[in-house]
Amino acid sequence: MSQKLSTRISELCNETYNKLPKSYKPPVGQWSNMAGVVMECETKLALISMATGTKCLSEDKKSSWLVGDSHAEVLAVKLFRLFLLDEIGKASDGNSTVIQLCGDATYMVKPQILFHFYTSTVMCGDAAITIDEVSTEDVMSAQAVYTNDENQNKYEQVAKRRKIAKSRTGAKSLASDNLALDSIKTRSWTETGSLRTKPGRGGQTLSLSCSDKTAKYVWLGVEGGLLSPLLSNSVFFSSITIGGDVNLNSVRRALINRVKYSESENKIQLFTTPDNFIHSKRNTKSNNASNTSLLWLQNKQSCSVEGRRQGATKSAPCFKIMLPICRRAMLSKINVLLSQKVSNELCNSCDPLDLNELEFLSAYYNFKKQSGYSTKKEAFMSQLTGWKEKQNQKSTRVFKPKHSE
């Protein structure tokens, strides 16, 4: 893959966005981030999913009916998973141009199909931290100044810390002693390698930063735990293109080099392009982030706010407020798919039509654990600083609706 192709990917995402009506874009004086997934087939490019967003729900507001993480990168991947699920349904009838049926009743992406990821700015978290090496001249200069015993300790501190942070992240480190009290004055804002939660001044959240989630996509696959039992092979991005002034060494460190998960070399390619997104923070010159998010999937678009459909009141029934990419909706779609079209080990052990929804969810999660994705995820994440702390703080999720249907 060449820089020329990454430029085409950036142009496709931005040109598609620019053609959308104003109702799907941030209001005047507000900014957002944009991300998209592009499919390549025999040099032809097609935009599959695209999203904007910068917000995240606090832990006390999360439920299976709402989308907890509305950052653009995460929304674009969730929409892409919905696309994969639709293609799996088509493949069971032999009508998919993207997915093919395997002999073991699972599915895989056809060999000639490649997927590329685009984001208009660097991901929040570890990738946003740029580290510069302190030159030897600086250390020698410090040594010349701190010659007496009184200042020897100061020199040793300078000599030991030969790296300085050029840029920091607002994402809070899970390795901090107190996540709620983590402040800009602490070193965790510039230390690299740690798992981090989303940045922001709202309520506390345990949603991982986009750098950490993208690292999972890079090493474990984009399909996530929900789709892994249906696929024989993981789905990986061939490249990641990032807009704006980006240090690719920092991105490579955050997504690839900070963990040794596989013996084989990770061959994903990283590219950078100019900041062409018209509603970026830099181009709008605004400090007000938009509360709304664009959800675009194969020429069908909608908007969300606070993890639910835009325009739906908080007191509305759950089926009216939930988005098609929320966990509840995705599991319901999988339930229908398994019961009507897909034949696999889960259907051989129990008929989804004979189970109520909660029983199906329990059966599917147990089946998902047996697929091996959970084991791979645990092995991968346990190498990152802060994973144990996240597991200790993680709240229990239930599929109990907040409102009547």
Side-chain angles (χ1 to χ4, degrees):
M1 179 178 168
S2 64
Q3 181 68 47
K4 184 177 179 180
L5 180 57
S6 68
T7 301
R8 289 176 57 199
I9 291 171
S10 172
E11 291 175 350
L12 176 60
C13 293
N14 283 282
E15 288 175 1
T16 303
Y17 176 84
N18 293 342
K19 293 177 182 178
L20 293 175
K22 292 183 179 180
S23 56
Y24 296 103
K25 300 174 181 177
V28 176
Q30 295 185 4
W31 65 273
S32 190
N33 296 327
M34 185 261 283
V37 178
V38 175
M39 180 175 67
E40 179 187 6
C41 181
E42 299 176 350
T43 71
K44 295 182 179 179
L45 300 180
L47 181 60
I48 300 300
S49 66
M50 178 174 61
T52 62
T54 63
K55 300 298 182 179
C56 182
L57 294 181
S58 58
E59 289 301 303
D60 59 334
K61 294 182 179 179
K62 288 183 178 179
S63 78
S64 62
W65 299 90
L66 301 173
V67 176
D69 189 343
S70 290
H71 280 220
E73 298 92 332
V74 177
L75 292 178
V77 169
K78 287 182 179 292
L79 288 165
F80 175 63
R81 290 172 181 168
L82 184 59
F83 163 78
L84 291 178
L85 193 55
D86 289 337
E87 290 298 319
I88 289 173
K90 294 178 182 178
S92 62
D93 296 330
N95 297 325
S96 175
T97 59
V98 179
I99 301 289
Q100 65 184 30
L101 179 63
C102 302
D104 57 352
T106 57
Y107 298 80
M108 66 176 291
V109 175
K110 293 184 177 181
Q112 69 272 24
I113 301 295
L114 299 176
F115 297 108
H116 306 277
F117 187 63
Y118 169 78
T119 175
S120 63
T121 187
V122 66
M123 309 87 172
C124 64
D126 201 78
I129 303 175
T130 301
I131 299 295
D132 279 355
E133 292 282 349
V134 177
S135 65
T136 304
E137 290 76 11
D138 291 336
V139 176
M140 296 299 293
S141 175
Q143 186 177 16
V145 173
Y146 303 130
T147 53
N148 56 53
D149 294 337
E150 180 181 354
N151 292 324
Q152 182 65 25
N153 185 47
K154 293 182 181 181
Y155 160 68
E156 290 176 354
Q157 291 178 3
V158 173
K160 287 179 180 179
R161 296 195 63 186
R162 299 193 59 166
K163 293 181 178 181
I164 59 173
K166 184 178 179 181
S167 61
R168 65 173 184 86
T169 178
K172 302 177 181 66
S173 172
L174 278 166
S176 300
D177 295 333
N178 190 328
L179 183 63
L181 297 179
D182 196 5
S183 69
I184 194 172
K185 296 180 181 180
T186 63
R187 288 178 57 189
S188 65
W189 290 78
T190 55
E191 288 181 340
T192 60
S194 174
L195 286 175
R196 296 176 178 275
T197 61
K198 287 289 192 289
R201 300 178 181 178
Q204 182 176 336
T205 178
L206 291 178
S207 290
L208 291 178
S209 70
C210 292
S211 292
D212 299 325
K213 291 188 175 182
T214 307
K216 286 197 299 181
Y217 307 152
V218 167
W219 287 104
L220 303 180
V222 192
E223 72 279 0
L226 287 183
L227 298 188
S228 59
L230 306 178
L231 296 169
S232 59
N233 296 325
S234 294
V235 181
F236 293 99
F237 291 135
S238 297
S239 72
I240 296 178
T241 300
I242 306 173
D245 185 13
V246 182
N247 187 316
L248 287 184
N249 290 330
S250 298
V251 177
R252 188 173 291 105
R253 179 203 67 233
L255 304 187
I256 302 174
N257 295 342
R258 63 170 164 161
V259 64
K260 184 63 176 177
Y261 172 71
S262 174
E263 295 298 328
S264 59
E265 181 183 1
N266 194 299
K267 297 182 179 180
I268 190 170
Q269 294 180 285
L270 304 177
F271 296 94
T272 180
T273 60
D275 181 7
N276 296 322
F277 183 49
I278 60 174
H279 284 110
S280 68
K281 188 174 184 179
R282 174 178 174 271
N283 289 333
T284 59
K285 299 180 180 179
S286 170
N287 291 323
N288 298 321
S290 175
N291 291 323
T292 61
S293 295
L294 163 71
L295 305 176
W296 189 99
L297 180 61
Q298 293 187 300
N299 292 316
K300 295 181 180 179
Q301 58 267 354
S302 60
C303 284
S304 68
V305 59
E306 294 184 349
R308 65 181 189 276
R309 291 182 185 274
Q310 187 180 37
T313 61
K314 294 182 179 180
S315 60
C318 290
F319 70 90
K320 288 188 177 182
I321 70 172
M322 70 178 185
L323 298 165
I325 56 174
C326 74
R327 195 176 346 154
R328 185 81 180 210
M330 290 288 286
L331 281 166
S332 297
K333 193 176 183 68
I334 291 174
N335 187 8
V336 173
L337 184 65
L338 290 175
S339 60
Q340 292 182 354
K341 297 182 178 181
V342 178
S343 175
N344 58 24
E345 295 178 15
L346 178 61
C347 291
N348 294 333
S349 61
C350 64
D351 184 355
L353 288 177
D354 295 334
L355 302 175
N356 65 41
E357 194 168 13
L358 289 177
E359 289 173 338
F360 166 74
L361 297 178
S362 176
Y364 188 78
Y365 267 103
N366 289 332
F367 180 68
K368 185 187 76 170
K369 290 180 180 179
Q370 298 174 7
S371 70
Y373 180 86
S374 298
T375 303
K376 291 190 295 182
K377 176 182 175 182
E378 187 68 28
F380 170 75
M381 301 300 291
S382 62
Q383 299 183 53
L384 299 175
T385 306
W387 176 245
K388 292 182 179 179
E389 288 81 354
K390 175 180 170 62
Q391 294 301 87
N392 293 336
Q393 299 180 61
K394 191 173 182 180
S395 60
T396 303
R397 299 285 191 271
V398 295
F399 291 91
K400 183 178 180 181
K402 291 185 177 181
H403 312 295
S404 61
E405 300 185 36

